[in-house]
Amino acid sequence: MKYQIVIAGIGGQGAVFLVKVLSIASALAKQKCLGTENHGMSQRGGSVSCYVKIGDFYAPAIDEGQADLLIALEGNEALRNIQYLHKDKGVIVMNAPKNFPKVDFETHSIDAFKKAKAKEFPIDALNVYMLGVTLALDAHFPFTCKEIEEAITAMNAKVAEKNIAVLHQGINDAKAKK
Amino acid sequence: MKQILMGNEAIALGLIHAGVDMLSGYPGTPSSEILGNFQKFRDKFKLEAYAQWATNEKVGFEVAYAGAISGKRTCATMKQVGLNVASDPLMSASYIGLKGAMLLISCDDPGFYSSQTEQDSRSFAKFARIPVLDPSTPQEAYDMVKLGIEFSHQFETIVMLRPVMRVSHAREICEVDDTLHVKANQGNFERNIPRWGAVPPAGRFRQGLEQIERLEAIKLWNWEHLIEPKTHALKGSRVLCLTSGTGDGYVKEAVEELNIQVDILKLDMPYPLPKENLEALFESYDKVIVFEESFPCIEEQLSSPKLYGKLTKHVHLIDEFSKDKVLSAFAKAGVIEPNHAYQSEKYDKELPKRPPNMCPGCPHRDVHYAITKTFKKKKSIYTSDIGCYTLGLNQAAIDTILCMGASISMASGFSISDPDKTVVATIGDSTFMHSGVAPLINAVYQNHKFVLIILDNSTTAMTGRQTTPERTNPNQIDIKRIIEGCGIACHEYVYEQDLNKTVDFMKSLQEAYKTATAPVVAVVREFCVLDKENAVGRLGNVLVEVDEDKCVACDSCITNYKCPPMHYNDAGKMEIDPFLCAGCGSCLDVVCPTDAFVKKEEN
């Protein structure tokens, strides 16, 4: 199998946490995994992009036109990274308002900021919420819900219960929207 | 045993499995997590090992080197620009060699993700005549740490490991040793004055000759153990690709995905190369293309009319590798037709700019703001340094950035060359300890007149909040007493989130400057908002919103204060993003000329 994911967001939203969860999930699913993230200069508020490549790869970075999936924790960051998507099979899962510009890809969008403002889930769990949305809406996503739950638990057992609850909230909200 | 490891974790674990029990370094992205992870593994496995941050890279190198010449297995960690600082001891140590083992890890940053320069540490290995290993993935980094330590011991030479950002910050499922057989080893320095006392010239000449002999032996070893075994897998295509480090991964993927008929030979130790053996391989090929990141280290050691690379301008000269750049090099060298398989259209409309910026609530922002408010831009020169406060560039509050410590020595220089302006230098506590003390002594000794503000948040914040000297020993090493030790007064301000107070403090420095005959030096006692120990109780809880009737969209706040939650909304008025605002409330009083920022009442 070969599956490439770009995770985009803003510093402080937990994009790197998702890279870790997905690499643990790969190990659980007995898949090879190479990932990479930008550290250092992107403090809170700056653009962040991370890559996860599942399957037989040798280089950790994803090239333009290659990604199967773009998970964007913020809508504009989806647009900023759109060139990484494969032009035929690329899928976007993003947190964006309803009136967001349309793009030429299969797009699943949800206004997670609005839900967080309404205190439906805590904003610091936005990353896990969007992972739930991805699980529900990306038909080719290579992991099962159980693998993701186990990976979240392996990351930090103390807060796993809370995180898994938000994961399911993302799944349910996304399904209700379909 | 399989483990999911980030490159720097894999390196740290490799050091432990290689029996290294003495580690010293200075933080710098992308190298910073090596020492921290080593400490974590050491504590987990209950090992006795020294692993501490040094005040700078030269010090870190020298501490580790002393351990090595006493017979211990040691390591020094840094980033590529840190190696510039440590290059002084490296040049001598490479002649003298060692008894135990020492791995010098210098992490490179192709693509300038968090560095002033791209540089290639392999050039330093070549300059210093020490072998260098160039890993392409976390797994290889782990394996090469172990190889490097053994090799260093066998040849009594320092060995460099040169991971790049895409290795240090990559994650991979790695195969690592199951068990641990590591015991702390006892160093035993044996006096040998002709060897360890580096006084020219006679002994050095002999050591120089030994160094050259050692290099010849290493070249042979490189051929017999690392290169020759791989040549059996070459398929006899018309084109040979010589790769090194991350260049290898990009070439392999592009070649496999597009079915390009070439042979690939990866050089694990790009210096020193067995030139004759390698060039003999070229005979059966039409073209040989070198793919390496960042400088032409391999290419410069070889010569052949069949050779294509950076020197012949067939491979890009700057920026990190990508598969698109691999294809472009193949096309330029006439191996394939031009191919754009790895290019896609970008979104071409305007997107919000998000340059690196200081965190919401960060005290540095207030200090920069207060400096420009007090010492007007037209009449001042702002020198600054390397750290989070460098991001004051966004506030146009910084004129020069050169390298660690240069804010103070350059302030000296400007005070001589452009004396009508007030020079205001800013430097963090970690950078001050790293290389600010010597230039301060110089400035006091020669009575240079400028304002120096030391931003003391008691951590190396930018690289992940590593400990600093005054953090570990708070009652011993104190910036205030260092300044006083230079015989001058230290102006001290304990930062508060009321911006008026920070501005008032700057005005007091301006007063002091009027009558000063030496540098006016201040320390601002701050905290890092991400530093759980120090920020607790010091971060505000005031949420701010914008009174749209008062906001005239004058840009003053985003030009001079530039806090990440501030942005224009669809109505063209300023708005505060509640998810980013840290609640410091600093912007309430001084920042807005029309007082449009107001406290948000809880609903």
Side-chain angles (χ1 to χ4, degrees), chain B residues 256-549:
Chain B
E256 237 179 63
E257 286 168 7
L258 301 177
N259 197 22
I260 300 167
Q261 297 305 312
V262 294
D263 281 356
I264 302 171
L265 179 62
K266 179 170 179 291
L267 303 173
D268 293 327
M269 186 187 280
Y271 178 84
L273 286 180
K275 179 178 157 70
E276 291 76 16
N277 304 78
L278 271 174
E279 284 170 2
L281 275 184
F282 298 175
E283 274 174 30
S284 52
Y285 290 94
D286 295 338
K287 288 171 183 170
V288 179
I289 311 178
V290 187
F291 294 93
E292 56 186 327
E293 212 174 27
S294 307
F295 291 0
C297 173
I298 291 172
E299 202 184 343
E300 280 175 358
Q301 294 173 69
L302 303 170
S303 52
S304 161
K306 295 177 181 175
L307 210 55
Y308 296 78
K310 291 172 190 284
L311 295 174
T312 58
K313 301 221 165 63
H314 290 85
V315 179
H316 71 288
L317 295 170
I318 200 161
D319 203 359
E320 76 171 326
F321 246 116
S322 66
K323 287 188 269 185
D324 183 54
K325 292 201 180 84
V326 170
L327 293 190
S328 158
F330 276 139
K332 278 189 194 162
V335 177
I336 58 169
E337 291 297 312
N339 188 317
H340 303 292
Y342 301 113
Q343 277 181 12
S344 272
E345 272 177 44
K346 289 192 166 79
Y347 184 76
D348 59 355
K349 300 196 183 64
E350 205 181 331
L351 287 169
K353 290 192 180 73
R354 299 192 213 277
N357 198 345
M358 284 176 281
C359 301
C362 176
H364 293 336
R365 178 178 290 104
D366 285 18
V367 171
H368 279 309
Y369 182 87
I371 288 171
T372 55
K373 182 109 185 145
T374 307
F375 300 94
K376 300 289 184 214
K377 289 184 184 178
K378 277 186 185 162
K379 293 180 183 168
S380 307
I381 301 170
Y382 311 124
T383 63
S384 194
D385 229 297
I386 316 289
C388 285
Y389 46 92
T390 308
L391 301 170
L393 277 173
N394 289 322
Q395 294 165 264
I398 293 178
D399 291 312
T400 68
I401 299 159
L402 185 66
C403 64
M404 299 283 280
S407 59
I408 305 179
S409 11
M410 287 179 75
S412 278
F414 286 126
S415 74
I416 297 161
S417 63
D418 196 352
D420 293 340
K421 297 200 184 102
T422 309
V423 187
V424 185
T426 43
I427 188 169
D429 55 302
S430 183
T431 314
F432 179 69
M433 299 290 185
H434 177 285
S435 46
V437 180
L440 175 62
I441 292 171
N442 182 60
V444 175
Y445 132 58
Q446 292 168 22
N447 295 322
H448 296 145
K449 191 180 159 185
F450 56 86
V451 178
L452 166 64
I453 297 160
I454 302 168
L455 306 137
D456 174 22
N457 58 12
S458 300
T459 187
T460 317
M462 181 163 248
T463 47
R465 302 180 297 287
Q466 289 79 11
T467 52
T468 52
E470 77 278 23
R471 179 73 169 254
T472 312
N473 286 334
N475 297 316
Q476 291 180 289
I477 303 152
D478 181 63
I479 292 172
K480 185 163 181 261
R481 286 200 283 154
I482 293 174
I483 296 163
E484 288 168 352
C486 293
I488 50 172
C490 173
H491 300 259
E492 192 175 16
Y493 170 59
V494 179
Y495 170 81
E496 287 183 58
Q497 293 186 323
D498 182 344
L499 188 47
N500 286 303
K501 292 190 177 161
T502 309
V503 173
D504 287 345
F505 177 68
M506 289 307 154
K507 287 185 176 152
S508 75
L509 295 181
Q510 194 178 33
E511 278 307 308
Y513 178 81
K514 282 179 188 162
T515 55
T517 53
V520 174
V521 184
V523 58
V524 182
R525 306 294 191 181
E526 303 180 354
F527 57 89
C528 166
V529 294
L530 302 176
D531 179 353
K532 289 189 180 112
E533 265 174 56
N534 274 0
V536 169
R538 299 188 70 182
L539 257 178
N541 196 18
V542 187
L543 290 184
V544 175
E545 60 186 353
V546 177
D547 181 341
E548 288 200 5
D549 294 336

Side-chain angles (χ1 to χ4, degrees), chain A:
Chain A
M1 184 187 62
K2 280 192 168 190
Y3 195 84
Q4 308 189 53
I5 308 171
V6 174
I7 302 163
I10 303 171
Q13 288 186 320
V16 173
F17 178 91
L18 291 186
V19 177
K20 291 182 188 171
V21 168
L22 294 176
S23 41
I24 296 171
S26 305
L28 294 170
K30 306 229 176 329
Q31 292 287 342
K32 280 168 73 176
C33 177
L34 254 181
T36 171
E37 58 230 40
N38 292 349
H39 286 212
M41 289 291 273
S42 43
Q43 305 285 319
R44 291 168 69 86
S47 292
V48 172
S49 59
C50 305
Y51 308 130
V52 182
K53 297 167 88 170
I54 300 147
D56 279 323
F57 290 102
Y58 308 102
I62 294 179
D63 272 66
E64 290 185 14
Q66 298 294 298
D68 299 272
L69 171 65
L70 166 59
I71 303 176
L73 304 176
E74 198 274 343
N76 286 312
E77 295 309 309
L79 300 177
R80 206 190 299 283
N81 288 281
I82 207 144
Q83 69 274 17
Y84 290 102
L85 278 173
H86 195 285
K87 71 176 171 38
D88 301 322
K89 57 180 182 182
V91 174
I92 308 174
V93 176
M94 67 174 168
N95 161 27
K98 273 213 168 77
N99 58 350
F100 203 70
K102 292 249 176 307
V103 289
D104 205 11
F105 288 97
E106 180 188 331
T107 306
H108 304 281
S109 117
I110 197 158
D111 193 345
F113 282 153
K114 198 173 154 193
K115 288 177 184 291
K117 271 183 195 161
K119 301 207 160 49
E120 290 181 32
F121 69 88
I123 187 66
D124 50 4
L126 174 77
N127 51 358
V128 179
Y129 182 84
M130 290 306 294
L131 194 55
V133 176
T134 308
L135 267 170
L137 298 180
D138 177 16
H140 304 285
F141 192 63
F143 303 113
T144 62
C145 182
K146 188 163 169 289
E147 282 159 352
I148 295 292
E149 284 178 4
E150 280 180 41
I152 288 174
T153 310
M155 273 289 294
N156 187 344
K158 276 184 209 158
V159 294
E161 201 180 320
K162 274 189 199 163
N163 272 327
I164 290 169
V166 177
L167 182 80
H168 281 278
Q169 205 175 338
I171 295 173
N172 294 336
D173 286 359
K175 279 185 181 161
K177 214 176 148 278
K178 250 208 288 202

Side-chain angles (χ1 to χ4, degrees), chain B residues 178-195:
Chain B
D178 284 316
T179 49
L180 210 58
H181 309 283
V182 179
K183 270 193 275 175
N185 48 69
Q186 179 68 41
N188 179 21
F189 176 72
E190 286 170 17
R191 177 166 294 126
N192 183 349
I193 294 169
R195 182 167 186 191

Side-chain angles (χ1 to χ4, degrees), chain B residues 151 155 215-232 234 240 242 265-282 285 302:
Chain B
F151 192 76
F155 284 89
L215 268 185
E216 290 306 314
I218 294 171
K219 281 180 190 171
L220 189 64
W221 192 95
N222 192 359
W223 174 254
E224 286 177 352
H225 291 81
L226 297 179
I227 304 174
E228 208 270 340
K230 290 188 192 179
T231 59
H232 304 299
L234 297 174
L240 175 66
L242 291 179
L265 179 62
K266 179 170 179 291
L267 303 173
D268 293 327
M269 186 187 280
Y271 178 84
L273 286 180
K275 179 178 157 70
E276 291 76 16
N277 304 78
L278 271 174
E279 284 170 2
L281 275 184
F282 298 175
Y285 290 94
L302 303 170

